[in-house]
Amino acid sequence: KGLYYSSDNGLNWNLTNNGLPNSAPIRFFEKDNLLFVGLADSGVYVSADTGFTWLATDSIIAGAMVRDFTKSNHNIFVATLFDGVFVSSDNGEHWVSSMNGITNYLCQCIFAKDNTVFLGTRYGGFRSSDGGQTWSDSFSGLPSENIWDLIGKDNYWFAGSDSGIYLSSDNGDKWISISSGLPESST
């Protein structure tokens, strides 16, 4: 139905679709006082006025199904389903494909800490230690299945997959299951 905002802590909501196509918002992201929205089938839009008006970013990702955003240093990364990973160093004005070493385009989630970027796909995980220039799939212990979410806290990295939750304490070199006591997946 569109994108809504509230100026009274959620008591009332107002439609704010000025400039957006009729596409479902999937993810929001903020960088340098700019708001970004990733849409289900229309790429990335940016707002410089707290979401009142929206402009399409570079047309290279115009039809992409955006799944997630992250930032690493000054770069913004966007993970898309079917089109892979894109990176922008100029707040979305221009995007370039960042797929050197990634073997599939079904990207689900992306998360960065400093210059290390982690990517979860439908068939496992990838890591870049050089800000997205190159990627490797050297995630020992992480299953080759849907990686739905990634997050880091201090020196710990967590990955949520079809078979459970995994932990790495060595920047993603080795992963161990920490799903003991959780119900098994029905998928």
Side-chain angles (χ1 to χ4, degrees):
K1 299 282 182 181
L3 185 61
Y4 289 79
Y5 76 94
S6 173
S7 58
D8 57 7
N9 296 320
L11 294 175
N12 296 288
W13 293 89
N14 300 294
L15 186 64
T16 179
N17 278 352
N18 190 9
L20 289 177
N22 189 16
S23 182
I26 300 294
R27 284 278 190 257
F28 292 95
F29 183 74
E30 185 273 330
K31 181 181 180 282
D32 299 334
N33 295 318
L34 297 173
L35 291 178
F36 295 84
V37 62
L39 301 171
D41 58 6
S42 300
V44 176
Y45 282 70
V46 63
S47 174
D49 59 7
T50 63
F52 289 102
T53 57
W54 296 91
L55 297 172
T57 63
D58 188 355
S59 63
I60 191 173
I61 59 173
M65 183 181 293
V66 174
R67 300 293 294 173
D68 205 1
F69 290 99
T70 196
K71 60 184 170 183
S72 174
N73 298 320
H74 300 290
N75 294 326
I76 300 172
F77 289 83
V78 62
T80 70
L81 195 61
F82 306 117
D83 295 306
V85 176
F86 295 89
V87 62
S88 174
S89 60
D90 58 8
N91 285 331
E93 287 187 42
H94 302 93
W95 296 92
V96 294
S97 178
S98 177
M99 295 296 291
N100 186 8
I102 298 174
T103 56
N104 71 74
Y105 286 76
L106 302 173
C107 303
Q108 304 275 70
C109 55
I110 194 162
F111 185 80
K113 182 178 178 187
D114 302 322
N115 209 34
T116 303
V117 185
F118 291 94
L119 173 69
T121 74
R122 290 245 175 119
Y123 302 104
F126 294 86
R127 176 181 61 192
S128 174
S129 297
D130 57 12
Q133 298 292 318
T134 59
W135 298 84
S136 66
D137 62 350
S138 59
F139 281 13
S140 177
L142 195 61
S144 294
E145 62 189 21
N146 273 325
I147 305 298
W148 293 103
D149 207 358
L150 293 161
I151 193 161
K153 174 79 169 132
D154 299 324
N155 292 324
Y156 299 99
W157 294 90
F158 299 89
S161 76
D162 280 348
S163 61
I165 300 171
Y166 291 80
L167 166 70
S168 174
S169 59
D170 60 5
N171 208 33
D173 284 333
K174 294 182 183 99
W175 295 81
I176 59 169
S177 174
I178 58 169
S179 298
S180 180
L182 292 175
E184 289 188 31
S185 173
S186 61
T187 58

